[in-house]
């Protein structure tokens, strides 16, 4: 396995930082992308004890041009990444008819389209190299009418993973999601450090054992379990990208 590094898009204080620490522990250089300087400073400080190279880049996951500039900066610093983790999301309660069309479009842009843009920008080079991993944070294994935009977005993530796998999987790029079926908080069944183990497990799966989804539910909160399908309660992971109260 090459060691050109891991990119974390959405490096909030929950899952984002935990995944960064987990990959840094294995010696991978880390690139952190977030919307706020405060989030980037906190994430860099969390990774610093590992001693690996860390680069921070400010970008909004819904700004395609800005995100592409940040991703190009990652490639200049660390090379084509080994693994890309997309962890940005809008998590909000909205019943049918409560959210405006614009609100739904904004949620969809963060939850799905940002991940698509990031993958489309980096996956071709990963495929040309013949290996790599793209992981997207999922949730809502069952749709809930109290979380319409989130249910739609996480269903979109599952479809996106399948599409990206069909496009880039034959060339050696493993695409998968980590479905988190509960509220993320340290010291609970949904401790972000436990959840981060799924990301490492998926990244290190041998090609003949690739799975498309790892489910972290109350029954599987210990590290490393994975499942091809998700069946559990709703995944309330946090709120929008870091400086908009995300806790992923």
């Amino acid at each position: 396995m090459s060691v050109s590094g891991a990119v974390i898009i959405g490096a909030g204080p929950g899952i984002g930082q935990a995944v960064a620490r987990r990959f840094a522990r294995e010696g991978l250089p880390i690139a952190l992308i977030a919307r706020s300087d405060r989030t980037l400073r906190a994430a860099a400080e969390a990774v610093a004890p590992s001693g690996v190279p860390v680069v921070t880049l400010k970008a909004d996951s819904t700004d395609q041009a800005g995100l592409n500039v940040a991703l190009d900066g990652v490639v200049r610093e660390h090379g084509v990444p080994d693994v890309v983790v997309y962890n940005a999301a809008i998590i909000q309660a909205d019943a049918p008819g409560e959210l405006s069309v614009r609100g739904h479009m904004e949620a969809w842009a963060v939850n799905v389209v940002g991940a698509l843009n990031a993958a489309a920008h980096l996956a071709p080079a990963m495929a040309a190299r013949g290996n790599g991993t793209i992981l997207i944070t999922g949730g809502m294994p069952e749709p809930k009418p109290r979380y319409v935009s989130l249910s739609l977005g996480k269903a979109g993530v599952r479809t996106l993973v399948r599409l990206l796998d069909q496009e880039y999987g034959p060339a050696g790029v493993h695409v998968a999601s980590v479905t988190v079926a509960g509220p993320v908080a340290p010291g609970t069944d949904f401790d972000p450090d436990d959840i981060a183990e799924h990301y490492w497990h998926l990244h290190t799966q041998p090609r003949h054992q690739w799975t498309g989804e790892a489910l972290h539910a109350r029954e599987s909160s210990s590290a490393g379990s994975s499942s091809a399908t998700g069946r559990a309660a709703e995944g309330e992971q946090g709120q929008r990208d870091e400086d908009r109260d995300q806790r992923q």
Side-chain angles (χ1 to χ4, degrees):
M1 187 182 297
S2 61
V3 289
S4 56
V7 181
I8 316 297
I9 302 168
I15 293 174
Q17 285 189 20
V19 171
R21 292 193 303 269
R22 182 64 183 90
F23 280 85
R25 199 164 79 220
E26 303 296 334
L28 274 73
I30 301 296
L32 303 165
I33 298 177
R35 295 179 69 251
S36 77
D37 292 328
R38 181 180 62 181
T39 297
L40 289 171
R41 285 194 300 270
E45 289 171 2
V47 174
S50 66
V52 301
V54 178
V55 60
T56 60
L57 300 111
K58 188 174 177 180
D60 188 320
S61 62
T62 65
D63 176 4
Q64 184 176 15
L67 181 60
N68 286 349
V69 168
L71 295 174
D72 289 341
V74 170
V75 174
R76 285 194 301 271
E77 290 286 333
H78 294 164
V80 176
D82 289 309
V83 56
V84 177
V85 175
Y86 187 86
N87 184 58
I90 288 182
I91 313 299
Q92 60 192 0
D94 51 76
E98 286 187 351
L99 197 61
S100 67
V101 170
R102 179 168 182 169
H104 275 291
M105 292 175 67
E106 290 176 349
W108 186 260
V110 177
N111 294 339
V112 182
V113 181
L116 170 60
N117 288 338
H121 197 68
L122 291 176
M126 300 166 81
R129 185 183 59 198
N131 63 76
T133 308
I134 297 173
L135 303 174
I136 305 173
T137 301
M140 301 300 291
E142 295 293 339
K144 299 291 182 181
R146 292 189 296 120
Y147 293 89
V148 173
S149 63
L150 179 61
S151 296
L152 293 172
K154 295 310 183 182
V157 164
R158 294 186 184 91
T159 298
L160 177 60
V161 165
R162 294 186 64 183
L163 291 171
L164 294 174
D165 174 67
Q166 292 170 20
E167 182 71 15
Y168 302 111
V173 180
H174 184 192
V175 185
S177 64
V178 177
T179 297
V180 183
V184 175
T188 70
D189 287 334
F190 299 94
D191 190 299
D193 288 331
D194 292 339
I195 295 168
E197 292 296 334
H198 294 291
Y199 293 79
W200 181 252
H201 177 73
L202 287 166
H203 177 54
T204 56
Q205 279 182 333
R207 184 167 181 172
H208 68 281
Q209 294 179 356
W210 280 1
T211 53
E213 184 178 37
L215 169 65
H216 189 97
R218 203 167 298 278
E219 297 79 12
S220 62
S221 57
S222 58
S225 64
S226 62
S227 170
T229 59
R231 296 176 297 275
E234 65 201 31
E236 300 173 45
Q237 301 153 0
Q239 291 246 329
R240 166 75 156 109
D241 206 331
E242 306 77 36
D243 53 335
R244 296 189 189 176
D245 298 322
Q246 177 174 312
R247 293 297 177 267
Q248 281 190 175

